């Protein structure tokens, strides 16, 4: 008679692996069952729900209406709004209504923060997010992502100006991204290391796949849009020429920050989106693109800078402030800084 209460080692590993879900992992991070740990566990679970919903929508992009293509609107950034931008933005909003967790959401797609009044006395967190990063890749079925940053809400923000958000990235209590690639992955940190989850569609759960990620201190990959070469300032051109003169470097650029960042995080190297003569602050937004990725990279032992200042020390002038971004392995980023600070 087999003992049905016991598992063989292989089964134990699988069930042990399958049962480390995203929400469970967050709780295990705190080692206590405090209100904060439960709130953040539930909050991450909701982000996972948003990610799963967006991934499902993307998986049928060519088959259903209003996934590919544009809405005909222009967002606060002056960019054409893709159907997926609007859909994903709404999914994040819906994920947190009636949650009691998030009082305020700020997004690339919304000029002003969105308030959920029924959550405000209780939910003291703000979620800043880019619902779909790399949307130019959607219509050609290439990887895209969502990026998120979690902050405590300080005060009641009666003015609705969200002035407490105009503080440096050091105020973040957590950050992460979802990568809609060959598989859907969620990578996050709440200040205790960086952890990666892979969506198992058969059970509809993000399952822990890599824990305590560390970026290699040096890598051979550089990721930059060399089509902008003549718009960069001379020191940046000098750096790229330096790479061209060396053997062993590999250029990889997908057009989606999350995908390029993910490769650098796992394999080492450096991603760069510098300023250009027309836009010295570059293209990427600080609060919901660069700062959350800078939070992750520092947790993973890497570095993120504007070229002259650490990204996490930059104080935004307004909600949609942009910043140059150089992010990746410690040694690679320091070489870039040595060129830019000459
Ligand atoms: P470019 C996507 O629009 C995005 O914001 C990032 O995801 C990406 O890294 C960058 O812009 C690509 O910009 O100018 O190289 O096409």
């Amino acid at each position: 008679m087999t003992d049905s209460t016991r598992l063989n080692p292989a089964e134990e590993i699988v069930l042990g692996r399958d049962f480390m879900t995203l929400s469970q992992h967050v709780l295990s991070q705190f080692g206590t069952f405090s209100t904060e740990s439960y709130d953040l566990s539930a909050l991450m679970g909701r982000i996972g729900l948003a990610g799963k919903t967006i991934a499902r929508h993307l998986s049928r992009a060519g088959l259903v209406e209003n996934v590919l293509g544009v809405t005909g609107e222009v967002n606060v950034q002056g960019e054409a709004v893709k159907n997926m931008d609007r859909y994903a933005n709404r999914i994040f909003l819906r994920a947190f209504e009636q949650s009691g967790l998030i009082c305020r959401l700020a997004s690339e797609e919304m000029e002003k923060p969105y308030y959920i009044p029924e959550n405000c006395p209780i939910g003291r967190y703000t979620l800043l997010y880019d619902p779909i990063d790399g949307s130019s890749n959607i219509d050609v079925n290439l990887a895209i992502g969502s990026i998120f940053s979690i902050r405590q809400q300080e005060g009641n923000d009666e003015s609705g100006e969200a002035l407490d958000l105009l503080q440096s990235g050091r105020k973040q209590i957590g950050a992460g991204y979802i990568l809609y690639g060959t598989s859907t992955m969620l990578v996050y940190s709440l200040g205790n290391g960086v952890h990666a989850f892979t969506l198992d569609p058969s059970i509809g759960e993000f399952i822990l796949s890599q824990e305590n990620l560390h970026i290699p201190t040096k890598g051979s990959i550089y990721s930059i849009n060399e089509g902008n070469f003549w718009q960069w300032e001379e020191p940046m051109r000098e750096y790229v020429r330096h790479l061209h003169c060396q053997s062993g470097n590999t250029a990889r650029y997908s057009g989606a920050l999350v995908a390029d960042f993910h490769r650098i995080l796992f394999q080492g190297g450096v991603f760069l989106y510098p300023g250009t003569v027309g836009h010295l602050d570059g293209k990427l937004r600080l609060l919901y693109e660069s700062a959350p990725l800078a939070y992750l990279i520092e947790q993973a032992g890497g570095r993120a800078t504007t070229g002259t200042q650490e990204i996490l020390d930059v104080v935004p002038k307004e909600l949609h402030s942009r910043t140059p971004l150089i992010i990746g392995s410690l040694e690679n980023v320091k070489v870039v800084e040595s060129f830019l600070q000459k």
Side-chain angles (χ1 to χ4, degrees):
M1 179 78 164
T2 56
D3 174 357
S4 60
T5 64
R6 296 184 62 78
L7 298 165
N8 68 42
E11 286 167 323
E12 192 58 55
I13 290 169
V14 169
L15 282 183
R17 178 181 67 80
D18 281 356
F19 274 78
M20 186 46 85
T21 62
L22 178 59
S23 302
Q24 183 62 35
H25 189 264
V26 173
L27 282 177
S28 70
Q29 290 280 297
F30 286 86
T32 66
F33 296 116
S34 64
T35 307
E36 185 194 22
S37 59
Y38 269 114
D39 279 355
L40 289 172
S41 174
L43 196 160
M44 287 303 304
R46 295 281 179 151
I47 290 177
L49 174 64
K52 288 184 275 191
T53 309
I54 293 166
R56 186 190 60 175
H57 204 58
L58 284 167
S59 69
R60 300 178 299 174
L63 304 174
V64 297
E65 291 295 310
N66 297 332
V67 182
L68 303 177
V70 293
T71 62
E73 298 157 350
V74 173
N75 69 12
V76 63
Q77 326 289 343
E79 295 167 345
V81 178
K82 297 259 184 173
N83 279 309
M84 265 314 293
D85 290 324
R86 182 169 61 177
Y87 174 86
N89 192 61
R90 287 178 177 167
I91 290 297
F92 273 92
L93 297 179
R94 293 292 172 277
F96 287 100
E97 279 160 3
Q98 281 86 43
S99 70
L101 292 165
I102 295 274
C103 167
R104 182 178 56 180
L105 298 98
S107 146
E108 177 186 285
E109 299 303 326
M110 302 186 296
E111 185 172 0
K112 297 279 185 197
Y114 178 92
Y115 293 81
I116 306 177
E118 63 270 23
N119 288 351
C120 285
I122 320 145
R124 306 306 299 164
Y125 299 105
T126 290
L127 187 77
L128 299 105
Y129 64 106
D130 180 0
I132 293 290
D133 162 72
S135 49
S136 60
N137 282 355
I138 297 171
D139 294 357
V140 290
N141 195 31
L142 293 178
I144 58 176
S146 304
I147 308 172
F148 59 89
S149 168
I150 305 165
R151 294 189 181 213
Q152 293 278 1
Q153 175 165 325
E154 295 177 2
N156 293 317
D157 189 16
E158 283 94 359
S159 70
E161 292 302 311
L163 298 178
D164 63 297
L165 293 181
L166 304 185
Q167 298 186 70
S168 80
R170 304 277 177 206
K171 299 293 279 186
Q172 296 174 108
I173 61 168
Y177 61 85
I178 301 158
L179 175 60
Y180 311 101
T182 45
S183 66
T184 298
M185 289 188 74
L186 187 149
V187 178
Y188 89 98
S189 176
L190 288 171
N192 298 307
V194 178
H195 315 290
F197 291 73
T198 300
L199 178 62
D200 181 341
S202 68
I203 56 174
E205 286 284 3
F206 279 104
I207 302 297
L208 181 65
S209 41
Q210 285 98 356
E211 196 170 29
N212 293 315
L213 280 165
H214 274 85
I215 185 171
T217 51
K218 187 177 181 181
S220 62
I221 296 167
Y222 71 102
S223 185
I224 190 168
N225 182 347
E226 297 205 37
N228 296 330
F229 187 87
W230 292 109
Q231 281 75 45
W232 299 330
E233 296 185 296
E234 186 54 26
M236 182 54 72
R237 291 203 287 260
E238 275 302 304
Y239 167 68
V240 173
R241 287 192 192 103
H242 157 75
L243 294 178
H244 292 166
C245 297
Q246 277 183 338
S247 63
N249 294 310
T250 300
R252 288 286 185 273
Y253 192 77
S254 77
L257 170 61
V258 169
D260 291 326
F261 176 84
H262 188 79
R263 183 201 304 276
I264 296 293
L265 175 62
F266 277 74
Q267 297 181 344
V270 60
F271 172 91
L272 310 93
Y273 205 105
T276 54
V277 286
H279 302 90
L280 290 176
D281 283 341
K283 174 181 182 182
L284 301 178
R285 291 78 176 183
L286 175 62
L287 280 173
Y288 40 78
E289 288 180 328
S290 299
L293 298 184
Y295 181 92
L296 289 178
I297 209 74
E298 288 206 358
Q299 283 287 320
R303 183 171 173 79
T305 175
T306 64
T308 56
Q309 185 179 14
E310 292 186 10
I311 291 287
L312 289 183
D313 292 330
V314 179
V315 177
K317 294 182 180 60
E318 53 100 19
L319 194 59
H320 301 290
S321 288
R322 297 172 192 262
T323 177
L325 176 65
I326 296 143
I327 189 167
S329 296
L330 198 56
E331 289 187 26
N332 296 70
V333 172
K334 287 210 176 277
V335 169
V336 182
E337 289 176 298
S338 69
F339 278 81
L340 300 187
Q341 292 168 10
K342 267 179 189 163

